[in-house]
Amino acid sequence: MRRALKKGRAKARAFAAFLALFASLSALFGAFGCTPAPAPAKTTFAAMDTVMTLTVYGGESDALDAAKARVLDLEALLSVTDPDSDVSALNRAGTAALSPDTADLLGRALELCERTGGALDVTIYPVVRAWGFTTGDYTVPDGDTLAALLEKVDYTEVRLEGDTASLPAGAEIDLGAVAKGYAGDALAALLREKGVESALLELGGNIHTVGSKPDGSDWRVAVRDPADKEGYLGVVSVSNKAVVTSGGYERYFEQDGVRYWHIMDPRTGAPARSGLASVTVAADSGLYADALSTALFVMGREAALDYWRAHRDFEAVLVSEDGSVTVTAGLEGSFTLSGARTLSVARP
Ligand code: ADP
Ligand code: MG
């Protein structure tokens, strides 16, 4: 009997202690009774000709610094304007032993040039430079100049054996259309190795998401409105994906009332005028999304949708110059248009 009473008291004390603990934990975690999000670590810096912001939840304490250092290392290898980069060494000498990252990216970029039927062409650099996009000394080259430069544009002429690359005389490469996508993939892999399960990597117009938001919901990525610098067109909800936009509004100049932008049609050597104002691609791989956002912009709406129907390994938002918006079927439930526009959904 006594023992039973003692036992009962001990139980009651344990219960009271549990209640007290529960109350203090609830106070700590807020009124909603859910686990609080860990505080994010965040850094903003300039790299690869744009502004980057990395927001990382959890993981090892050096994860953010390591990620930033990785981007800066890649920039030093891949920049077409830095005379000390791998790419510049190759362009100058016509042949070069590349670092593993540069060789890896060049090999995969050449496959993507092939896959997109040459809409992406990494040998476009002599043309991009002639228009002044690398220096800012913009000019509209004459037809003869462009015809001569176009003779040097042909990705099938690039040789890559092991880590050694070579180019025909006069040819030069530019990995600008794919470098940020590759960097996004590299950062996501590095952060996962360091135990990060949730991160938002904003590499200029390339957004790379690791996992979902700390509360388990999808990241909401805004898609810019090509016709309005301040506004956005809509929001795409994703987890574990890269969302990359290319558009004529990003970098351009105007002459005699005509706008010339930095995405070139390798067939003409002039800015691609396909009727599209911007292309946003959502895919598992940042490299693929980056390559495709540029290539689909060059192809135009119909060819872009044909490409999607033939591959089905990405989703896209296509904004035409007339303002109409098309999303591929896989985004039907996850893309929300912000204004009063009409949205059409492309079916397989
Ligand atoms: P951004 O770098 O502004 O995000 P993109 O990913 O579309 O935009 O890449 C555009 C850059 O790629 C240009 O600045 C140029 O250096 C290069 N480029 C332009 N046209 C092509 C093309 N058709 N194929 C490969 N690279 C291109
Ligand atoms: Mg691109």
Side-chain angles (χ1 to χ4, degrees), residues 177-178 246 290-291 293-294:
V178 288
S246 283
D290 202 358
S293 66
T294 307

Side-chain angles (χ1 to χ4, degrees), residues 228-253:
D228 174 9
K229 265 200 154 76
E230 312 302 320
Y232 66 96
L233 184 91
V235 172
V236 51
S237 297
V238 289
S239 287
N240 261 323
K241 289 230 184 303
V243 180
V244 179
T245 301
S246 283
Y249 61 87
E250 287 173 69
R251 194 172 308 176
Y252 61 84
F253 68 98

Side-chain angles (χ1 to χ4, degrees), residues 151-232:
E151 285 184 14
K152 310 292 177 201
V153 176
D154 182 358
Y155 70 90
T156 66
E157 295 285 327
V158 180
R159 294 280 159 271
L160 181 64
E161 271 147 41
D163 285 353
T164 302
S166 50
L167 305 171
E172 290 175 274
I173 64 158
D174 173 8
L175 298 174
V178 288
K180 280 178 281 171
Y182 183 80
D185 289 337
L187 294 196
L190 180 151
L191 291 172
R192 285 197 183 96
E193 265 169 41
K194 292 198 171 282
V196 172
E197 286 172 0
S198 175
L200 181 67
L201 314 174
E202 298 164 81
L203 317 180
N206 288 38
I207 310 297
H208 206 115
T209 63
V210 175
S212 45
K213 288 206 296 198
D215 67 5
S217 63
D218 279 343
W219 297 100
R220 293 168 51 76
V221 178
V223 176
R224 254 181 67 184
D225 182 348
D228 174 9
K229 265 200 154 76
E230 312 302 320
Y232 66 96

